[in-house]
Amino acid sequence: MTDNTAARPQNLPDVLRHYIDGQWVDSIDGDTFEVIDPVTNEPYIRAASGKVADIDAAVAAAKKAFELGPWSKMLPRERARVLYSIADQVEDRGDELAAMESYDSGLPITQALGQARRAAENFRFFADLIVAQTDDAFKVPGRQANYVNRKPIGVAGLITPWNTPFMLESWKLAPAIATGNTVVLKPAEFTPLSASLWAGIFEQAGLPQGVFNLVNGFGEEGYAGDSLVKHPDVPLISFTGESRTGQIIFANSAPFLKGLSMELGGKSPAVVFDDADLEAAINATVFGVFSLNGERCTAGSRILVQRGIYDEFVKRYAAQAKRVKVGLPSDPKTEVGALVHPEHYEKVMSYVEIGKGEGRLVAGGGRPEGFGTGNYVQPTVFADVAAEARIFQEEIFGPVVAITPFDTDEEALELANNTKYGLAAYIWTSDLKRAHNFSQAVEAGMVWLNSNNVRDLRTPFGGVKASGLGHEGGYRSIDFYTDQQAVHINLGEVHNPVFGKQDDDSAQKADG
Ligand code: NAD
């Protein structure tokens, strides 16, 4: 279970370099860092470690491409053609891409393939959206016409995490470039491999030089992520990652008053009422926390179950969790692979130990047998977990779930809202009135009723409370990546307010 040689992608370079202004380049100071594969925890490649000077070069290239290049001025249909070609290539290279992603991140190969397809869809979707985009117009007959100019903003800084890296990069890249901006992408340091494919795909699709720039490296002060956030020529930062990192980025962006979009952590409740379709609820909640290795921002990692069905739910849930197949990420039968990195494995395992003192362990609770090395964790289920427990309150981001009983709807709501997070909520009931009323009251950016988290790309994605700031997805992404300039045209007589003339009210109609 620990020999990963067969899965190793072929023909890798020695170093994953930065891609700036259409060229592969080393870090200016020559620095690199090790990247490991999560099955052996052995380094398999190095990546260039970007710092302030590398970000300066990437931002300068992106700024030049924005101001002097064709991209920001092209017709939406012309840009869409490039985006469709990107989507086709991502789809055609899906198997190769998924294999790389699975090797680098430990995600099960079948799920990595699904993520690659979703990445292609993101490009196709935003290509369609910009072509169909209409601009607002407002008329006051005989007096005024007003319309809105949507304009790309400039250089967008895109900072992404290590869970489903390629798909999450596509989620930002597609709308940012579709709307005519240029970008600097800083992928997560644990998983830089698949990001190295973008440059070739973009070149082949005909994206002009300098529109896409990639700087690898760490996030902290003095490194690539921090330098991008603090760069004065980057007016937009789209960030996905931990809530704590979001707070730091928020503070560091404040002096520049940057546009910010933050998709942050979660501890989402799945609420199962006693009138739910139990079979469907169990299947969905098992998938909801153990798919993507539990490294999923919208994981339903707290399951609240009504007392009447609680014992049966826990018994059946634990039995199903024990059947989830842990295995080599490259094996198509694997349902839970290896966690991304030993540091993250230690964190998840520490919560498993904490959980043993906070709840009743009914499945998992350690390393699966037969796995000598690698970041493998058994799908782990704790029942009878109280709301004060750390495993109820804190994001674990691994295959670990807390189950808690409740009696009334009011108690369920109180428990559901009893964390600092507010990303998603899943509600299982056959009572539509209850489902709608609960959705209204639950503190979550997204609610799924009797459903897994399948998401239509047109809908807004985002969290409330510590789970995020703003929304992306569909038109919300178009709003984030564009300025809206209002143009007012006088259609009547030119009528200027005359100061000192008491009966003239036109000055009152102007905004502050
Ligand atoms: P992280 O916050 O540690 O890192 C995310 C990215 O930010 C990395 O590229 C990192 O290098 C960079 N970074 C770190 N410090 C920085 C700084 N000071 N300035 C600029 N950049 C910095 O998150 P992670 O561990 O990579 O990802 C897991 C987290 O992401 C979880 O909390 C998860 O819930 C969240 N997530 C949220 C969503 C969502 O849509 N809400 C989606 C996926 C993941």
Side-chain angles (χ1 to χ4, degrees):
M1 279 301 172
T2 52
D3 183 2
N4 209 21
T5 336
R8 189 184 167 131
Q10 302 296 301
N11 305 321
L12 293 179
D14 293 337
V15 176
L16 297 169
R17 303 164 91 195
H18 312 305
Y19 181 80
I20 298 176
D21 209 10
Q23 307 294 325
W24 290 105
V25 292
D26 291 319
S27 283
I28 288 168
D29 66 2
D31 197 12
T32 59
F33 64 94
E34 272 178 356
V35 184
I36 60 174
D37 95 74
V39 169
T40 63
N41 285 329
E42 296 290 335
Y44 75 93
I45 202 165
R46 299 190 73 83
S49 175
K51 316 264 173 51
V52 178
D54 307 295
I55 289 291
D56 283 349
V59 173
K63 188 165 186 253
K64 186 178 75 181
F66 183 74
E67 290 174 354
L68 305 177
W71 188 249
S72 61
K73 297 156 203 96
M74 274 163 69
L75 294 176
R77 194 169 286 287
E78 292 169 345
R79 286 204 296 265
R81 227 173 271 135
V82 176
L83 268 76
Y84 288 131
S85 165
I86 294 168
D88 291 345
Q89 289 182 64
V90 169
E91 205 159 66
D92 291 349
R93 295 175 70 173
D95 288 335
E96 172 201 0
L97 220 159
M100 274 181 142
E101 190 84 313
S102 168
Y103 185 81
D104 196 28
S105 69
L107 284 181
I109 184 75
T110 50
Q111 298 171 31
L113 188 58
Q115 296 295 313
R117 292 193 182 120
R118 185 75 163 174
E121 270 318 297
N122 278 330
F123 279 91
R124 220 163 262 140
F125 171 77
F126 282 106
D128 288 343
L129 211 59
I130 54 162
V131 171
Q133 172 82 43
T134 54
D135 291 320
D136 288 333
F138 310 89
K139 290 169 217 140
V140 186
R143 300 182 76 175
Q144 217 186 29
N146 313 271
Y147 67 92
V148 176
N149 259 337
R150 270 187 193 270
K151 303 200 281 191
I153 296 175
V155 181
L158 313 179
I159 303 178
T160 48
W162 47 257
N163 69 316
T164 64
F166 193 81
M167 195 286 289
L168 284 175
E169 289 152 17
S170 77
W171 185 351
K172 298 181 189 304
L173 286 166
I177 64 172
T179 43
N181 299 285
T182 59
V183 302
V184 177
L185 169 67
K186 207 301 278 174
E189 57 271 33
F190 283 175
T191 53
L193 184 59
S194 55
S196 65
L197 292 180
W198 286 120
I201 291 171
F202 289 159
E203 271 178 26
Q204 207 174 319
L207 191 74
Q209 182 178 329
V211 174
F212 168 75
N213 301 276
L214 164 78
V215 178
N216 284 305
F218 298 96
E220 291 75 12
E221 187 158 10
Y223 290 90
D226 177 77
S227 312
L228 188 56
V229 169
K230 291 179 180 163
H231 201 293
D233 291 335
V234 179
L236 285 181
I237 297 288
S238 174
F239 170 73
T240 300
E242 285 189 11
S243 302
R244 176 72 198 121
T245 314
Q247 289 174 319
I248 296 169
I249 291 177
F250 193 96
N252 288 340
S253 303
F256 307 94
L257 296 170
K258 295 193 181 208
L260 289 177
S261 168
M262 302 250 173
E263 305 291 359
L264 308 177
K267 189 77 186 179
S268 301
V271 185
V272 186
F273 288 96
D274 56 12
D275 59 358
D277 174 342
L278 203 53
E279 177 80 11
I282 290 172
N283 287 336
T285 50
V286 167
F287 179 83
V289 74
F290 298 128
S291 57
L292 304 181
N293 296 346
E295 298 161 326
R296 181 198 272 280
C297 57
T298 50
S301 51
R302 292 183 294 143
I303 307 183
L304 313 176
V305 184
Q306 201 156 20
R307 190 87 56 186
I309 53 166
Y310 184 75
D311 289 341
E312 187 189 352
F313 184 95
V314 170
K315 199 165 123 224
R316 286 172 61 180
Y317 194 94
Q320 191 151 330
K322 286 177 188 162
R323 289 196 294 271
V324 171
K325 187 166 174 4
V326 181
L328 269 180
S330 56
D331 182 345
K333 289 199 246 24
T334 294
E335 292 169 321
V336 170
L339 300 191
V340 68
H341 195 274
E343 268 174 35
H344 186 59
Y345 170 82
E346 291 302 333
K347 176 189 151 182
V348 172
M349 277 303 203
S350 76
Y351 277 107
V352 170
E353 290 313 310
I354 291 167
K356 288 176 184 168
E358 290 185 329
R360 175 165 59 96
L361 181 68
V362 293
R367 273 183 86 77
E369 272 178 37
F371 291 80
T373 61
N375 310 315
Y376 292 102
V377 178
Q378 284 177 317
T380 296
V381 185
F382 291 103
D384 310 346
V385 178
E388 310 74 58
R390 286 186 62 191
I391 59 163
F392 186 97
Q393 293 291 336
E394 298 173 22
E395 184 181 42
I396 301 173
F397 219 54
V400 181
V401 67
I403 310 185
T404 304
F406 69 86
D407 288 299
T408 63
D409 289 36
E410 292 71 28
E411 195 190 346
L413 184 64
E414 203 183 304
L415 284 167
N417 291 343
N418 186 350
T419 73
K420 66 177 181 178
Y421 295 107
L423 191 56
Y426 306 85
I427 299 164
W428 290 89
T429 174
S430 54
D431 179 343
L432 273 184
K433 203 160 119 191
R434 168 190 261 169
H436 287 301
N437 289 335
F438 201 92
S439 311
Q440 291 284 319
V442 74
E443 293 165 355
M446 295 165 286
V447 178
W448 279 272
L449 300 177
N450 297 322
S451 166
N452 242 316
N453 72 347
V454 281
R455 186 179 143 261
D456 183 305
L457 289 177
R458 292 169 296 182
T459 59
F461 186 104
V464 297
K465 295 161 61 180
S467 288
L469 191 71
H471 286 87
E472 292 194 53
Y475 285 112
R476 272 66 175 192
S477 295
I478 303 281
D479 283 347
F480 178 70
Y481 290 106
T482 52
D483 273 333
Q484 297 187 46
Q485 177 192 52
V487 180
H488 307 272
I489 311 158
N490 186 6
L491 297 178
E493 283 176 34
V494 177
H495 184 74
N496 287 322
V498 180
F499 273 16
K501 212 171 149 212
Q502 294 303 315
D503 60 350
D504 190 298
D505 72 340
S506 39
Q508 313 305 325
K509 291 183 182 153
D511 294 321

